[in-house]
């Protein structure tokens, strides 16, 4: 049976002023290494959680927040009112077996990415200025990338986190590539989630997830606020004219290395003059 790959926003009140609008975990998805929560928070609201054998990256998608692990506190972090300002934002990494609290210093949207972890690491502020910025692709394959937790960062045990902007009429995660084989140095096994937003927000994108044997082969119309999960396979994104795309990727697997394999039928696209 084909696994569920697309998740619409939900609305669950966690506490006064805190709404859970996305939740991806091992119970409701085919993923084993990646989990995700997205919170919408009103001014002065707070969310607290105790971690077991998981690490987290807490991303201030929009608004200002304060994050503490009750040893270190990072006050009023966050840089933007909309993700489409196309500037990096602040994030915080917290390792396993710790408790953290997020307090909203304004209306805020917060993404919390989780992956398994047993090795204790220091809590770290990942400041906006420390994000590396890349411009990838050419022709109709252009995108802007903010690397929050790339695979060469020593901050995390498992998590990889990146933001990607794709303008209307362009493709992204393209040519189609996959990373579902634990076969380094050729390819790594990384599960992935895509949290999508569009500008204007009534827009949509298309995303296909497919494997070589077509045991998974689904093309989805994805709207603002939805999440696509990629347990395995290729996963290109297409953005219609007139709308701009933002997505935040979370990846994790047995080895913290992003080594992908292009679909050989479409790899020729990279060699165009």
């Amino acid at each position: 049976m084909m696994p569920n790959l697309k998740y619409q926003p939900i609305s669950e009140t966690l506490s006064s002023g805190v709404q859970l609008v996305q939740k991806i975990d091992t119970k409701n998805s085919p993923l084993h290494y990646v989990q995700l929560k997205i919170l919408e928070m009103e001014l002065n609201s707070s969310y607290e959680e105790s971690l077991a054998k998981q690490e987290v990256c807490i991303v201030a998608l929009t608004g200002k927040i304060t994050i503490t692990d009750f040893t270190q506190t990072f006050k009023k972090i966050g840089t933007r009112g909309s993700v489409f300002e196309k500037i990096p934002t602040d994030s915080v990494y917290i390792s396993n077996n710790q408790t953290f609290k997020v307090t909203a210093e304004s209306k805020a949207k917060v993404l919390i990415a989780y992956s398994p972890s047993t090795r204790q690491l220091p809590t770290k502020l990942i400041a906006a200025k420390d994000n590396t910025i890349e411009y990838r692709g050419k022709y109709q394959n252009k995108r802007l990338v903010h690397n929050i937790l790339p695979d060469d960062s020593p901050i995390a045990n498992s998590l990889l986190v990146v933001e990607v902007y794709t303008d209307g009429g362009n493709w992204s995660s393209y040519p189609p590539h996959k990373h579902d084989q634990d076969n380094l140095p050729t390819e790594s096994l990384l599960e992935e989630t895509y949290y999508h937003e569009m500008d204007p927000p009534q827009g949509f994108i298309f995303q296909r997830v497919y494997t070589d044997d077509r045991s998974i082969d689904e093309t989805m119309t994805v709207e603002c606020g939805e999440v696509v999960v990629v347990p395995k396979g290729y996963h290109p994104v297409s953005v219609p004219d007139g709308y701009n795309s933002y997505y935040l990727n979370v990846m994790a697997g047995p080895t913290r290395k992003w080594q992908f394999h292009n679909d050989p039928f479409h790899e020729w696209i990279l060699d165009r003059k």
Side-chain angles (χ1 to χ4, degrees):
M1 186 173 69
M2 191 82 71
N4 184 33
L5 301 181
K6 188 176 77 167
Y7 295 78
Q8 295 180 339
I10 61 175
S11 182
E12 179 183 338
T13 301
L14 299 183
S15 60
S16 179
V18 180
Q19 291 291 123
L20 177 68
V21 296
Q22 277 288 359
K23 182 180 181 181
I24 310 296
D25 60 24
T26 57
K27 295 179 181 178
N28 71 350
S29 82
L31 304 182
H32 302 285
Y33 294 99
V34 175
Q35 297 188 42
L36 180 73
K37 286 179 185 170
I38 299 176
L39 309 178
E40 291 183 347
M41 305 181 69
E42 298 295 330
L43 173 65
N44 296 326
S45 65
S46 62
Y47 173 78
E48 186 173 324
E49 183 175 349
S50 294
L51 300 169
K53 300 302 181 183
Q54 288 182 309
E55 62 184 3
V56 294
C57 180
I58 306 167
V59 183
L61 288 174
T62 58
K64 294 282 187 184
I65 58 176
T66 291
I67 300 175
T68 183
D69 66 359
F70 299 96
T71 299
Q72 296 186 71
T73 300
F74 306 101
K75 296 183 178 181
K76 295 185 178 180
I77 65 171
T79 63
R80 58 200 185 194
S82 164
V83 297
F84 287 100
E85 292 176 29
K86 292 187 176 181
I87 58 174
T89 191
D90 301 311
S91 306
V92 172
Y93 169 83
I94 300 176
S95 193
N96 46 283
N97 301 105
Q98 297 198 71
T99 298
F100 67 87
K101 183 178 182 180
V102 182
T103 301
E105 305 290 351
S106 69
K107 189 172 183 178
K109 183 179 286 186
V110 180
L111 184 145
I112 309 173
Y114 304 76
S115 66
S117 175
T118 56
R119 183 171 65 103
Q120 197 76 48
L121 289 173
T123 295
K124 289 283 188 180
L125 172 66
I126 306 167
K129 64 180 178 59
D130 296 327
N131 286 206
T132 54
I133 298 174
E134 299 178 58
Y135 293 89
R136 296 180 187 165
K138 60 183 181 179
Y139 303 121
Q140 282 70 54
N141 189 27
K142 295 177 183 175
R143 58 267 197 217
L144 164 65
V145 177
H146 296 161
N147 291 302
I148 297 173
L149 268 180
D151 63 357
D152 61 355
S153 167
I155 290 173
N157 285 317
S158 299
L159 280 169
L160 301 163
V161 182
V162 61
E163 297 181 308
V164 180
Y165 294 90
T166 311
D167 291 342
N170 281 268
W171 288 71
S172 195
S173 296
Y174 188 79
H177 70 263
K178 70 181 184 75
H179 34 75
D180 59 15
Q181 300 295 314
D182 192 5
N183 185 32
L184 286 168
T186 304
E187 186 176 349
S188 58
L189 194 167
L190 294 171
E191 297 175 340
E192 189 164 15
T193 57
Y194 279 68
Y195 166 64
H196 289 280
E197 291 194 21
M198 292 86 200
D199 180 34
Q202 71 270 25
F204 59 87
I205 58 91
F206 297 109
Q207 184 160 21
R208 184 185 182 195
V209 179
Y210 68 100
T211 56
D212 287 316
D213 64 4
R214 301 306 192 264
S215 60
I216 295 177
D217 189 0
E218 185 170 350
T219 301
M220 293 158 278
T221 304
V222 184
E223 297 185 314
C224 197
E226 294 185 330
V227 172
V228 171
V229 305
V230 184
K232 60 181 178 179
Y234 308 98
H235 39 275
V237 171
S238 176
V239 184
D241 181 44
Y243 292 90
N244 295 322
S245 158
Y246 164 90
Y247 57 77
L248 185 143
N249 290 137
V250 180
M251 291 180 279
T255 304
R256 192 170 178 271
K257 180 67 177 177
W258 186 51
Q259 184 65 45
F260 60 85
H261 170 75
N262 290 317
D263 185 335
F265 286 105
H266 306 296
E267 194 168 32
W268 66 270
I269 290 167
L270 293 172
D271 298 325
R272 289 173 298 169
K273 301 300 183 184

